[in-house]
Amino acid sequence: MTTFFGFAMSDTMFAGDCEISRRQITADEARELIAEGITSCCNPSHAATIATLGPRFGITVPIPETPPRVVLAPGDRIIVMSVRGLPRMTDRHEYTAEEVASATFVFSIYTVR
């Protein structure tokens, strides 16, 4: 069983027909699961968003140079973090404390049965 972490789901992550369960989890649950070990699907363009996790939730997620191709097999799961309220990074490389404080973070876990 592999646990992945990313910001989005794609149909290409699933090999053939499968059943998927989804449930929303707390930041504490996400932190515990991430601490057990994950494969990060994030890419360097996500650095500013990933940087918000430490101060806000005590979560550290690595950013691989090249994100892996994700194929979820039965028993695999992916933690997806959705963020609302952070502006797009166009002319800077980090968010202000005020921007992070006003954003909404939601964690969900998808498991392939």
Side-chain angles (χ1 to χ4, degrees), residues 7 14-15 19 24 35 41 50 52-53 55 57 60 65 78 88 91 100 104:
F7 294 121
F14 304 99
E19 288 187 33
Q24 193 168 320
C41 325
I50 291 293
T52 66
L53 292 175
F57 302 109
T60 302
E65 274 189 45
I78 182 168
R88 291 208 175 257
D91 59 346
V100 172
T104 302

Side-chain angles (χ1 to χ4, degrees), residues 9 33 46 54 60 73 75 86 91 99 107:
M9 295 283 303
L33 291 167
H46 298 138
T60 302
L86 288 178
D91 59 346
E99 288 169 333
F107 296 90

Side-chain angles (χ1 to χ4, degrees), residues 82-98:
S82 300
V83 184
R84 291 183 181 88
L86 288 178
R88 291 208 175 257
M89 286 285 142
T90 57
D91 59 346
R92 56 195 169 115
H93 300 291
E94 59 186 45
Y95 294 109
T96 66
E98 294 79 23

Side-chain angles (χ1 to χ4, degrees), residues 3 12 23 26-27 31-33 38 48 55 58 76 84 92 96:
T3 301
T12 62
R23 70 180 177 90
T26 66
R31 182 176 44 258
E32 290 172 14
L33 291 167
I38 56 155
D76 289 346
R84 291 183 181 88
R92 56 195 169 115
T96 66

Side-chain angles (χ1 to χ4, degrees), residues 52-72:
T52 66
L53 292 175
R56 179 112 182 221
F57 302 109
I59 294 174
T60 302
V61 174
I63 303 173
E65 274 189 45
T66 304
R69 182 174 180 273
V70 177
V71 178
L72 298 164

